[in-house]
Amino acid sequence: MLTLVELLAQLKALATGNAADRVAQINAIFSNPKNPAEYQVGRHYVAAMLETAVEAQLDSLDPVDRKEAVRCARLVFPRGPAARVLRRVTNDTDPNVRALARRTAEELGLSSTLPPDVRFRADRLGRFATTGWAFGIFASKRVSAAKPKKPTRPDAIAAHHLPELESPADVAELVGVDPTNLDQLCRPGTEAGSGYVEFEIAKAKGGTRRIAAPRKPLRAVQRKILEAILAKVPVHDACHGFVKGRSTVTNAKPHEGAALVIKLDLKDFFPTVHYRRVVGLFSFLGYNEGVAKQLAALTTYRPKLPDGTVVWPGVLPQGAPTSPALANLACRRLDQRLAKLAEKYGAVYTRYADDLTLSFAKPPEIRIGRLLWFVDAICEMEGFIERPDKRRILRAKHQQRITGIVVNAGIHVPRADRKKFRAILFNCKKHGLASQAKGRADFEAYLQGYAAYVHMVEPALGAKWMAEVAQLIGEPHA
């Protein structure tokens, strides 16, 4: 039997080490219910050290890793940190992870903090059920009689002028491929013959982002689905990201001159929309089950783990042309509910992809904490997780920047960015383009693109800079 000092030393070595299975090893230490009282001290000692590791494990594609994170929450964490872990996975895409998380929440006596969803029977879906994850999936089995009536198939297709599709063969004809090739386009993973390549890119604020980009044949198919179906279905007026005729400027302008701006962020925006939700979306548009499943299979991605296991269900891939449109359509009711909430309390709401913004023209009457509780609850009921660590509350005395645009008085490019670009133009005029390019092959395109961006935000300044850039590029390089 280990002494307390030996136990704490062992736990510290595991918690601060780099072993891939360190969470599983610590779970094994605390899994014996007959452990002596010293192990309770060890639990409290190691819990804070493990929070970062468990959070990272929840991001794993492997459901086995996520299950170990849930077990760690049960065996090691106090109730508060355990609740934060479980909240992320009580609606996990994997049914085994989801079941374990809900069972663990029951064992810990954690009750839901969400308003009840009257359209679902609590005894069918449980108290952790949220509309967004169930909507369109259990239409014939688990939806109560109080569920709002769907539009009929002819009405929905006629209203949006969508193509009539009765079978997967019709889908193949629509996208211009042989019906026998549909299964190949939907193959999981990134090996030769599959539809995707996978790579990582650096995030602006640290970390990496996993990109699954469709190969040329699948990309062509997805673009046809986008043009023929998804682009014809309107999104909510509050949605500004990836929408024709809307931009970061249209997203920022409604918040111009606000007394208070609240910025929020949704976690794992694309991966949260999984295959079953996409099937539900196409079914809601009016397509039968076979067609909806085929369209969902062509627009979602199933990664493969190193051991060859296929992750199920597939999710919207970051890199596919259809993913932004599908995510926006999946957010229509989220946008509607948040827009109505904002209207009720005298605010304005917009969304640009995963960035949510609410602003008040005058100081709000509702307490900010209460408003954030409502927003957070609505996001979770609609199948999304809002990130509390990304919340920003900006008053008029602060720089209020929304999707990169300052809105305190008018809309402007941030002053620091303007000064930097003005200095680049000055040095280019004085020393030549090569002095600022520093070997960048796309430097001229960068100058043109940024000047055009400034023109979109501040037309007068942008027009001046576009003329200067055109003159610079037209001159012989120094």
Side-chain angles (χ1 to χ4, degrees):
M1 182 67 64
L2 294 176
T3 66
L4 178 59
V5 174
E6 291 172 335
L7 174 63
L8 296 182
Q10 180 182 359
L11 291 173
K12 182 177 181 180
L14 284 173
T16 58
N18 296 320
D21 61 344
R22 57 177 168 162
V23 173
Q25 291 182 53
I26 289 177
N27 286 347
I29 291 174
F30 293 106
S31 60
N32 183 0
K34 296 182 181 179
N35 281 331
E38 287 82 359
Y39 280 71
Q40 297 301 320
V41 178
R43 286 179 58 245
H44 292 286
Y45 172 75
V46 79
M49 299 181 188
L50 279 179
E51 285 192 29
T52 301
V54 170
E55 286 289 332
Q57 198 144 316
L58 290 175
D59 293 329
S60 172
L61 291 174
D62 192 343
V64 174
D65 289 341
R66 301 200 297 277
K67 286 167 69 175
E68 286 295 344
V70 172
R71 292 191 183 97
C72 188
R74 175 67 180 90
L75 295 170
V76 181
F77 284 8
R79 283 171 56 87
R84 289 194 293 271
V85 170
L86 295 174
R87 187 182 181 204
R88 284 186 55 183
V89 285
T90 49
N91 290 314
D92 196 88
T93 56
D94 185 90
N96 294 321
V97 177
R98 184 168 65 246
L100 178 61
R102 295 184 181 188
R103 188 165 62 250
T104 302
E106 292 283 353
E107 292 171 358
L108 293 176
L110 301 174
S111 60
S112 174
T113 60
L114 299 183
D117 189 339
V118 297
R119 289 177 292 183
F120 293 88
R121 298 189 183 99
D123 60 339
R124 293 288 187 91
L125 291 181
R127 61 184 175 184
F128 294 99
T130 56
T131 306
W133 288 80
F135 182 63
I137 301 171
F138 310 112
S140 62
K141 297 179 180 179
R142 299 192 176 188
V143 180
S144 72
K147 178 187 73 66
K149 184 181 178 183
K150 288 184 181 180
T152 63
R153 182 174 184 274
D155 289 343
I157 290 178
H160 302 312
H161 305 288
L162 305 181
E164 295 275 357
L165 303 172
E166 298 293 341
S167 68
D170 293 339
V171 176
E173 182 179 355
L174 173 72
V175 299
V177 300
D178 190 291
T180 59
N181 292 335
L182 288 176
D183 288 343
Q184 182 178 352
L185 290 171
C186 301
R187 287 179 63 179
T190 58
E191 294 88 353
S194 66
Y196 291 90
V197 295
E198 196 171 334
F199 54 91
E200 292 185 345
I201 61 173
K203 293 182 180 180
K205 296 184 179 179
T208 58
R209 189 187 309 278
R210 184 184 297 112
I211 302 296
R215 289 188 167 98
K216 186 175 180 179
L218 180 57
R219 186 166 63 250
V221 165
Q222 290 175 342
R223 282 178 174 162
K224 289 178 181 176
I225 294 174
L226 175 63
E227 294 167 3
I229 301 176
L230 300 176
K232 296 180 179 180
V233 183
V235 298
H236 194 275
D237 290 343
C239 172
H240 293 265
F242 315 110
V243 180
K244 186 176 181 180
R246 304 182 197 177
S247 65
T248 55
V249 174
T250 63
N251 180 67
K253 193 165 183 59
H255 308 287
E256 182 181 347
L260 180 73
V261 171
I262 301 174
K263 295 168 57 177
L264 308 164
D265 185 83
L266 298 178
K267 183 172 179 58
D268 298 330
F269 184 55
F270 286 155
T272 297
V273 183
H274 57 74
Y275 168 83
R276 292 191 291 268
R277 294 182 75 175
V278 178
V279 171
L281 174 61
F282 282 117
S283 298
F284 183 75
L285 294 180
Y287 292 110
N288 62 47
E289 183 179 6
V291 170
K293 287 183 174 180
Q294 186 64 71
L295 290 169
L298 288 168
T299 53
T300 55
Y301 169 57
R302 292 174 293 160
K304 271 190 176 182
L305 301 178
D307 63 0
T309 302
V310 176
V311 176
W312 175 258
V315 298
L316 292 187
Q318 296 197 41
T322 48
S323 293
L326 285 167
N328 281 340
L329 292 176
C331 287
R332 283 187 304 174
R333 194 171 59 232
L334 170 73
D335 292 335
Q336 174 68 5
R337 295 181 70 180
L338 290 179
K340 288 296 183 182
L341 176 71
E343 181 183 342
K344 179 177 180 180
Y345 294 108
V348 176
Y349 162 75
T350 62
R351 180 180 60 82
Y352 193 95
D354 58 352
D355 293 325
L356 315 180
T357 306
L358 294 99
S359 68
F360 294 83
K362 57 183 180 179
E365 296 180 3
I366 185 175
R367 289 182 298 171
I368 300 303
R370 184 65 172 168
L371 178 70
L372 291 174
W373 185 92
F374 280 127
V375 172
D376 186 61
I378 289 172
C379 288
E380 189 167 347
M381 290 180 72
E382 294 302 325
F384 295 93
I385 292 291
E386 184 257 323
R387 296 185 58 173
D389 60 310
K390 288 289 190 78
R391 290 175 180 173
R392 298 292 183 271
I393 299 175
L394 305 172
R395 303 186 186 277
K397 63 182 179 180
H398 303 122
Q399 186 187 75
Q400 298 171 330
R401 188 184 300 194
I402 299 171
T403 50
I405 297 172
V406 178
V407 299
N408 291 72
I411 57 173
H412 304 283
V413 176
R415 180 182 301 173
D417 295 347
R418 295 199 308 268
K419 291 178 65 176
K420 180 180 177 180
F421 191 72
R422 188 180 292 115
I424 290 174
L425 291 181
F426 176 82
N427 288 328
C428 285
K429 293 175 186 177
K430 188 173 182 179
H431 304 293
L433 291 174
S435 67
Q436 300 300 302
K438 299 177 181 178
R440 286 179 53 180
D442 62 343
F443 184 64
E444 292 185 1
Y446 158 74
L447 293 177
Q448 292 173 315
Y450 192 82
Y453 168 73
V454 175
H455 182 262
M456 179 179 70
V457 181
E458 300 182 55
L461 178 61
K464 175 185 174 184
W465 281 354
M466 288 176 69
E468 291 181 18
V469 169
Q471 186 177 7
L472 281 169
I473 293 175
E475 294 176 349
H477 289 198

